[in-house]
Amino acid sequence: MNGQLLNIYVSPKGQNKAGEDYGGQDKIQLLGDVSLPNGETRKDMFTLTAHNVSDFKQHIGKEITIPVGAIANGKVVTFFIPKGSVPTVKTVPIQNPSNRSASL
């Protein structure tokens, strides 16, 4: 998955009615492009659980790539980051000014 890393946070902790604890996971939020059937794209926010949030902290605001898995349940697709996966920063190749060609 590619996108701009916008935020890192810890999900709120609590207990359900059965007395079981929930929450407390590290989460990341990515803003990425979603392809539409008509060929256009729209922006969408993806919130994913991160196993090691320290791998992400230095990349806030940057375009990153992270491996993801997907689980489909009916029409709902849930994405997850496989354990051991680390983000890579997308880089834009720098053009050599002497190799540029101008066209108008």
Side-chain angles (χ1 to χ4, degrees):
M1 180 177 287
N2 302 319
Q4 182 183 12
L5 180 59
L6 295 180
N7 189 28
I8 295 173
Y9 69 97
V10 177
S11 64
K13 292 181 180 184
Q15 280 190 340
N16 62 18
K17 292 180 182 180
E20 300 166 331
D21 292 333
Y22 65 86
Q25 298 100 346
D26 292 326
K27 302 283 188 173
I28 65 166
Q29 291 181 305
L30 292 174
L31 182 63
D33 291 329
V34 176
S35 298
L36 300 174
N38 65 358
E40 295 186 347
T41 58
R42 67 177 165 90
K43 297 286 186 189
D44 208 347
M45 174 90 66
F46 297 92
T47 300
L48 305 166
T49 299
H51 301 286
N52 190 358
V53 75
S54 63
D55 292 333
F56 293 88
K57 286 185 178 181
Q58 69 272 19
H59 302 308
I60 292 178
K62 297 177 185 173
E63 291 285 325
I64 65 167
T65 300
I66 185 73
V68 295
I71 300 171
N73 185 5
K75 292 184 178 183
V76 177
V77 178
T78 301
F79 294 100
F80 65 92
I81 301 173
K83 284 189 177 181
S85 298
V86 294
T88 56
V89 176
K90 287 181 67 175
T91 57
V92 178
I94 299 174
Q95 290 183 345
N96 183 343
S98 62
N99 292 339
R100 288 187 188 166
S101 60
S103 61
L104 298 176

